[in-house]
């Protein structure tokens, strides 16, 4: 499974079905936000273009938009995260995922950051 990152501090993991990706916020993002208290997740079935706001995450410090890292249709949202937003802090790369997307254009994945490039970017921001 391929793991990619955006400069907006979202991660996405390409699943066994290569047309499906899981999206969440990075460890760096949740560290910057502090304790997450609310998430606004997108509607299943809704399509977004790459870069559009697909959700919001609110913490005790701030609110931040969650941007769509690739164009596609929302096929599932993490109801456990909606019920317990602190999962974005305790397990941002696992149980704290936000939504799953059916890719509209798999070529968009190539332009995203790999682990090394993201780590370098996050260290500077």
């Amino acid at each position: 499974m391929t793991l990619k990152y955006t400069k907006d501090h979202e991660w996405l993991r390409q699943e066994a079905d290569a047309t499906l990706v899981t999206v969440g916020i990075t460890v760096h993002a949740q560290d910057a936000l502090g304790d997450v208290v609310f998430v606004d997740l997108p509607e299943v079935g809704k399509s977004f273009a790459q870069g559009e706001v697909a959700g919001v995450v609110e913490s005790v410090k701030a609110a931040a938009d969650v941007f769509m890292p690739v164009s596609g249709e929302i096929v599932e949202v993490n109801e456990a995260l909606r019920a317990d937003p602190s999962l974005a802090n305790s397990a941002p790369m696992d149980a704290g995922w936000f939504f799953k997307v059916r890719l509209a254009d798999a070529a968009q994945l190539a332009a995203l950051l790999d682990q090394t490039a993201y780590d370098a970017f996050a260290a500077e921001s």
Side-chain angles (χ1 to χ4, degrees), residues 35-39 57-58 80-90 96:
D35 293 337
V36 174
V37 295
F38 176 78
V39 292
V57 58
E58 294 181 12
L81 180 66
R82 192 187 317 262
D84 181 6
S86 70
L87 288 171
N89 295 117
S90 62

Side-chain angles (χ1 to χ4, degrees), residues 25-69:
I25 61 170
T26 65
V27 172
H28 178 83
Q30 69 83 31
D31 281 345
L33 284 167
D35 293 337
V36 174
V37 295
F38 176 78
V39 292
D40 181 21
L41 300 172
E43 182 181 327
V44 172
K46 187 165 182 183
S47 293
F48 293 88
Q50 185 178 35
E52 282 189 308
V53 174
V56 175
V57 58
E58 294 181 12
S59 72
V60 293
K61 290 194 223 177
D65 291 332
V66 177
F67 296 97
M68 192 69 153

Side-chain angles (χ1 to χ4, degrees), residues 1-2 14 20 32-33 45 64 81 87 89 93-94 100 103 116:
M1 290 184 273
T2 303
Q14 195 170 19
L20 190 65
L33 284 167
L81 180 66
L87 288 171
N89 295 117
M93 303 295 289
D94 296 305
K100 294 186 180 191
L103 291 170
T116 303

